[in-house]
Amino acid sequence: IPYILETENDPANSPYVFQWTKEKHKAAFDNPDLLHLVLEDKETGERVGYMIVAGINSPHKSIELMRLAVSKKNKGFGRDSIRLLLDHAFNTLSAHRVWLDVKEYNFSAKSLYDYLGFIQEGLLREAVFHNGKYDSIYVMSILEKDYKIQTGI
């Protein structure tokens, strides 16, 4: 949990992700509908970020990437982590849809999601109050059928 708190409070991440308390993260670990994952560099074992995924038990087979925060930027860890998540969601959990929201001004993340095949579904104008102001967020998703076409499965 200290690493997760440090990562989400890092100035490179804090404008884009909500900060949870230690207690809220602990409670998330005990929630069977959530995956709370620490990401590691497969070569060094070094922690490089974390991810929170919701909807594991969704009767709608709709999984949400609630949070992705990477501490080692520009090395492909975010991209690779999302690819692994999509593989797990569609091929192991039999998900129909994986979705997320991204702040309107998080150009780097939005570009990555576009690249990975997520489709923008809409803009929720000034939908969240964060760091003293209202932010608009895009809702994006990828469907199983689109993922399978994209990956050739």
Side-chain angles (χ1 to χ4, degrees), residues 11-126:
N13 292 325
S14 63
Y16 308 113
V17 299
F18 290 104
Q19 288 73 49
W20 282 1
T21 63
K22 180 179 179 180
E23 292 72 27
K24 189 161 184 173
H25 280 290
K26 279 184 176 179
F29 287 135
D30 295 330
N31 184 336
D33 199 43
L34 294 177
L35 290 177
H36 208 130
L37 307 166
V38 173
L39 311 173
E40 294 181 349
D41 181 329
K42 66 181 177 183
E43 293 178 13
T44 67
E46 179 184 18
R47 294 177 293 199
V48 297
Y50 78 97
M51 181 185 293
I52 302 173
V53 180
I56 302 305
N57 300 317
S58 168
H60 309 289
K61 297 189 177 272
S62 182
I63 293 180
E64 177 188 5
L65 173 54
M66 286 182 67
R67 186 163 317 156
L68 173 62
V70 177
S71 57
K72 302 293 181 192
K73 307 265 188 217
N74 302 312
K75 299 191 183 298
F77 294 121
R79 179 195 63 227
D80 293 346
S81 298
I82 295 169
R83 283 182 172 155
L84 288 170
L85 170 64
L86 294 175
D87 178 69
H88 183 69
F90 293 125
N91 296 317
T92 303
L93 299 176
S94 300
H96 173 69
R97 177 176 187 266
V98 175
W99 71 280
L100 55 87
D101 60 53
V102 58
K103 290 192 176 177
E104 182 179 34
Y105 55 83
N106 193 346
F107 304 111
S108 177
K110 179 146 185 337
S111 175
L112 173 62
Y113 303 139
D114 287 334
Y115 172 77
L116 291 172
F118 284 80
I119 303 298
Q120 180 179 311
E121 295 181 340
L123 176 68
L124 303 178
R125 299 179 325 141
E126 298 184 6

Side-chain angles (χ1 to χ4, degrees), residues 109-145:
K110 179 146 185 337
S111 175
L112 173 62
Y113 303 139
D114 287 334
Y115 172 77
L116 291 172
F118 284 80
I119 303 298
Q120 180 179 311
E121 295 181 340
L123 176 68
L124 303 178
R125 299 179 325 141
E126 298 184 6
V128 295
F129 190 73
H130 188 224
N131 292 334
K133 65 182 182 66
Y134 288 97
D135 291 329
S136 297
I137 54 174
Y138 289 110
V139 175
M140 302 181 76
S141 73
I142 185 168
L143 301 179
E144 178 186 26
K145 63 185 175 186

